[in-house]
Amino acid sequence: MTRPRTRIQQKNSETILEAALEVFSTYGFRGATLDQIAEVAGLSKPNLLYYFPSKEAMHQALLERLLDTWLDPLREMDEAGDPVAEILAYVRRKIELSRDYPRESRLFANEILQGAPRMREAIEGDLKRLVDEKAAVMIRWMDQGRIARLPPHHLIFSVWALTQHYADFDMQVRAVLGPDHDPFSEAGDYLEALFRKLLAV
């Protein structure tokens, strides 16, 4: 039976994962090294390996945690609610997620760009099941004439693309807009107007 971790062990584990997130989101999995993670964490490399046996183990722990965070906004979509309001609320939650978790967004994007070697099972499992479930909800709303008839999977993909862009290309967005703009606030208003028109019957 595995002993529960002490408070210090839990704190060190979280410190390591926070450092690993910073390094992985900056350099990608292949470019990241244990020495870099140890330096950011302020711990020795042997201490690092006491908690996580490899770079792969740290990366996997981050990805597992990230997938839950990434799926929560879609899980909250309620079939009993007003369809337009539910989809617009989903868009808002996704732009807020991009604002609050930019490093996690880049970590996820890097993993997908590499062919998702460490996440394929989860993507083909939990993620696909949830997207299929919510796509079926949207089809029922369309059949009821409550929103425009659109390919539901592509509607969800478009939400991902139009929200995660602001995290993954943050520097580019801010450089183009200039210092007097709040990209996420402006994006939220714009995307709400865009999707409201798109969904109108």
Side-chain angles (χ1 to χ4, degrees), residues 108-163:
F108 187 82
N110 282 331
E111 176 67 10
I112 298 300
L113 287 170
Q114 292 174 26
R118 290 159 289 274
M119 282 194 79
R120 181 172 292 277
E121 184 177 341
I123 289 171
E124 293 176 345
D126 292 346
L127 187 148
K128 181 175 175 6
R129 279 191 294 272
L130 180 63
V131 171
D132 287 346
E133 174 192 323
K134 297 304 181 180
V137 168
M138 291 179 181
I139 289 172
R140 287 192 286 274
W141 286 338
M142 293 171 197
D143 290 343
Q144 295 163 8
R146 302 173 74 188
I147 58 173
R149 188 164 295 282
L150 300 162
H153 287 85
H154 291 282
L155 180 57
I156 293 171
F157 296 159
S158 68
V159 174
W160 294 352
L162 290 169
T163 55

Side-chain angles (χ1 to χ4, degrees), residues 19 23 27 31-41:
V23 174
Y27 300 103
T33 67
L34 288 173
D35 288 329
Q36 289 171 322
I37 296 170
E39 182 178 355
V40 174

Side-chain angles (χ1 to χ4, degrees), residues 76-91 93 137-138 140-142 144-148 192 195-196 199-201:
E76 292 179 35
M77 188 183 290
D78 183 4
E79 184 171 5
D82 174 76
V84 174
E86 288 297 321
I87 293 171
L88 292 181
Y90 174 52
V91 173
R93 289 192 294 271
V137 168
M138 291 179 181
R140 287 192 286 274
W141 286 338
M142 293 171 197
Q144 295 163 8
R146 302 173 74 188
I147 58 173
E192 179 171 335
F195 279 97
R196 193 177 289 280
L199 297 168
V201 179

